[in-house]
Every structure is written in C-alpha cells, then in structure tokens.
C-alpha cells in the first residue's frame, strides 16, 4: 500500500461518516479514528516489514484528514495587520478554485459576507471536487491564493474579519 492508496482511504473514510476503521495486511496495519466532529482523523500505520512506509504514511494521513481550523493570524502577513482576522485554511492538498466552473463567478469576493457553512472555494483532490465551507461568520478581507493553483494542507486561503 503506497501513500496515494492511504490518502484515498482516508478521504473515503472522512466522507463516509465512519468513526473508526482498522485495516491489516501482511505488510501494514492502519488504524484510522475520528474523534468527534471537530478533531482531525488520525492514521497510525505500523508496518511489519517495510520501513519506508513509516516515513511516508503519516504526512499523507495528516494532509488529507483535518477539518478547516480557524487561526488568529498567518505567517505571510505581519501580525499587527492580521491580529483581528481569522484564517480559513486548506483542509487538504489539491488545486484551489474560486468558482465551480471557469465560466461562473467566484464563490466569494473580497468584501463579501460569509456565514458558517457557506461554500467559499473548491479544492480538487484526486479528481474529486471538494466544496470548502467557512467555519466562521464574517467578511472576506483578503484572498491569499490565486485561482487554479496548487495548495498544501493547512495553507491559508482567506482572511476573514469576524462579525
């Protein structure tokens, strides 16, 4: 089982609503658990024979399973300027899109008000388009990522001024 397979498995589990899954093969043992609705899903591989999987599996597991976490500031902007802002971060690795298709307007623009649950962008990961919802209410102050560019796990996407 390679990291891509593990990543697909974790994506499937996170969307399925299961709280715990254990998989064991001759080379690998994976235990994936979800702790409530606000905590990230954790993967704990314990390979029997293949040491390279130990190094590669944990980053893939963490990169695809955590929900959006609001944070007070982002390292890309001076702290004094962002002290009142909340950052919406990418919950996964993929390609960031501001709209659902190239010929439709952006889901949110600078100055738009957002509420909890409003879709703010789409991230394509492994040919799946995932709608990213805001977990905070407020006003979009800044879009930190260009349309159709790759994003990393936990990368800041938007700055939101809370209401």
């Amino acid at each position: 089982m390679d990291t891509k397979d593990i990543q697909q498995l974790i994506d499937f589990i996170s969307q399925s609503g299961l709280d715990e899954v254990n998989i064991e093969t001759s080379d690998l043992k994976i235990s994936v658990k979800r702790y409530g609705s606000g905590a990230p899903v954790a993967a704990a591989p314990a390979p029997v024979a293949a040491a390279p999987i130990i190094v590669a599996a944990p980053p893939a597991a963490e990169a695809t399973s955590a929900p959006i976490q609001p944070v007070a500031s982002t390292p890309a902007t001076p702290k004094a300027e962002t002290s009142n802002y909340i950052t919406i971060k990418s919950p996964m690795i993929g390609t960031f899109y501001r709209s659902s298709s190239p010929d439709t307007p952006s889901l949110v623009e600078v100055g738009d008000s957002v509420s909890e649950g409003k879709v703010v962008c789409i991230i394509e990961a492994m040919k799946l388009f995932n709608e990213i919802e805001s977990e905070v209410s407020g006003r979009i102050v800044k879009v930190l990522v260009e349309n159709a560019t790759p994003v990393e796990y936990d990368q800041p996407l938007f700055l939101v001024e809370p209401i």
Side-chain angles (χ1 to χ4, degrees), residues 4-23:
K4 194 176 270 189
D5 294 333
I6 294 170
Q7 186 175 8
Q8 287 177 326
L9 173 66
I10 291 171
D11 281 345
F12 173 78
I13 293 167
S14 69
Q15 294 177 3
S16 72
L18 296 173
D19 290 329
E20 183 174 344
V21 173
N22 295 311
I23 297 174

Side-chain angles (χ1 to χ4, degrees), residues 33-57:
K33 297 178 183 177
R34 180 191 318 248
Y35 296 103
S37 61
V41 177
V48 176
I53 296 177
I54 293 174
V55 176

Side-chain angles (χ1 to χ4, degrees), residues 6-90:
I6 294 170
Q7 186 175 8
Q8 287 177 326
L9 173 66
I10 291 171
D11 281 345
F12 173 78
I13 293 167
S14 69
Q15 294 177 3
S16 72
L18 296 173
D19 290 329
E20 183 174 344
V21 173
N22 295 311
I23 297 174
E24 190 169 341
T25 65
S26 60
D27 307 301
L28 176 71
K29 179 179 179 182
I30 295 178
S31 176
V32 180
K33 297 178 183 177
R34 180 191 318 248
Y35 296 103
S37 61
V41 177
V48 176
I53 296 177
I54 293 174
V55 176
E62 293 170 1
T64 61
S65 59
I68 299 173
Q69 296 293 325
V71 176
S73 67
T74 176
T77 316
K79 190 167 189 155
E81 184 182 316
T82 63
S83 62
N84 297 333
Y85 301 145
I86 296 172
T87 305
I88 297 176
K89 294 185 174 186
S90 175

